[in-house]
């Protein structure tokens, strides 16, 4: 599992949720890697027909090719910035295009590696109304759909001061830990009209 933190605050709320995900995942025996995107991303997407600098000028290439592509699961942890994901998180997604684009020597490997993952999301925001996360949830849902991935869970923590999500009475830290623990075991469904299925969702409900 790769856990990506999209906030510049090392001791912030996204980081607190990420740490809870990591704790839960490790308790379940999942191997985890955590990355602060600020450490790896120093620029936005280039025009792929006119690259201005070599692709390896920051840590993105290593992160994307060596850590993101091989991961079975990825959890994005981002603050809400202006009702969307942080620029760091968006740049992570945008810059994948430089490798995914037709003509890149590793295109086939990149295309295969981007698909069939489990995807999770932890969002930290100051405001608490459910709609504050919806733009981010929708964007990742579409990313998951596009890459044939399974979007298995969302945790929303409310806080503004560093680490304040721990005081959120809805207990997003526990929810993040559960997301990490159950990440590869959670039931996931996204039916089409002809999807084979039972009328009961949970086997025990019979
Ligand atoms: C540039 C910026 C924009 C923000 N925009 C919003 C917003 O639209 N809605 C909101 O609820 N909180 C907003 N916030 C507050 C953060 O989402 C909140 O403080 C969050 O807990 C920060 O997470 P972090 O500690 O991981 O950085 C914004 C904060 C910053 C710095």
């Amino acid at each position: 599992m790769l856990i990506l933190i999209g906030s510049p605050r090392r001791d912030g709320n996204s980081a607190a949720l990420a740490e809870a995900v990591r704790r839960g995942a490790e308790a379940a025996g999942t191997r985890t890697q955590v990355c602060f995107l600020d450490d790896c991303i120093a620029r936005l997407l280039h025009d792929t027909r006119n690259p201005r600098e070599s692709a390896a000028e920051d840590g993105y290439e290593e992160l994307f090719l060596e850590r993101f592509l091989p991961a079975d699961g990825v959890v994005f942890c981002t603050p809400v910035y202006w009702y969307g994901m942080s620029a760091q998180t968006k740049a992570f997604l945008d810059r994948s295009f430089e490798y995914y684009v037709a003509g890149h020597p590793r295109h086939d490997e990149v295309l295969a590696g981007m698909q069939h993952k489990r995807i999770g999301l932890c969002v930290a925001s100051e405001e608490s109304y459910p709609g504050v996360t919806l733009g981010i949830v929708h964007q990742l849902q579409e990313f998951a759909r596009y890459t044939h991935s399974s979007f298995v869970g969302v945790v929303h923590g409310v806080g503004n001061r560093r680490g304040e999500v721990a005081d959120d009475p809805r207990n997003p830290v526990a929810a993040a830990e559960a997301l990490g623990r159950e990440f590869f075991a959670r039931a996931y469904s996204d039916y089409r009209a002809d999807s084979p299925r039972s009328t009961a969702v949970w086997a025990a409900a019979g």
Side-chain angles (χ1 to χ4, degrees):
M1 174 192 289
L2 177 64
I3 302 168
L4 299 174
I5 302 171
S7 169
R9 302 204 293 186
R10 304 266 158 174
D11 51 354
N13 293 313
S14 308
L17 296 174
E19 168 55 22
V21 170
R22 191 201 61 75
R23 228 174 21 245
E26 296 271 338
T30 300
R31 213 150 40 84
T32 62
Q33 291 195 335
V34 179
C35 174
F36 281 90
L37 291 173
D38 261 6
D39 290 341
C40 301
I41 295 184
R43 65 165 176 83
L44 305 176
L45 172 68
H46 281 161
D47 180 346
T48 51
R49 287 194 189 168
N50 183 26
R52 282 168 291 168
E53 297 157 46
S54 85
E57 84 277 21
D58 63 14
Y60 183 83
E61 182 160 298
E62 191 272 333
L63 171 63
F64 181 68
L65 295 178
E66 313 305 334
R67 294 198 269 166
F68 178 79
L69 292 184
D72 296 317
V74 179
V75 180
F76 293 87
C77 301
T78 179
V80 171
Y81 282 175
W82 294 106
Y83 307 103
M85 61 180 60
S86 68
Q88 289 89 334
T89 311
K90 183 62 161 50
F92 175 84
L93 295 172
D94 291 352
R95 280 184 57 183
S96 67
F97 187 67
E98 291 178 12
Y99 303 88
Y100 164 80
V101 70
H104 189 277
R106 292 173 74 172
H107 168 78
D108 291 349
E109 174 197 341
V110 168
L111 188 57
M114 286 178 73
Q115 298 182 64
H116 305 294
K117 295 186 189 301
R118 289 205 152 215
I119 303 286
L121 171 65
C122 294
V123 184
S125 69
E126 180 178 5
E127 295 167 89
S128 67
Y129 73 100
V132 75
T133 66
L134 287 187
I136 303 173
V137 172
H138 179 72
Q139 193 164 14
L140 265 199
Q141 178 68 76
E142 295 305 323
F143 174 79
R145 207 199 98 262
Y146 187 77
T147 57
H148 297 292
S149 295
S150 303
F151 190 14
V152 296
V154 178
V155 173
H156 178 200
V158 174
N160 199 31
R161 294 184 176 172
R162 293 161 196 258
E164 202 186 358
V165 281
D167 300 331
D168 180 342
R170 299 175 309 169
N171 208 347
V173 173
E177 191 166 337
L179 177 66
R181 198 170 51 245
E182 301 159 5
F183 197 70
F184 290 105
R186 272 197 185 171
Y188 175 80
S189 51
D190 179 5
Y191 295 140
R192 302 297 179 268
D194 55 353
S195 301
R197 58 194 191 262
S198 151
T199 51
V201 173
W202 309 108

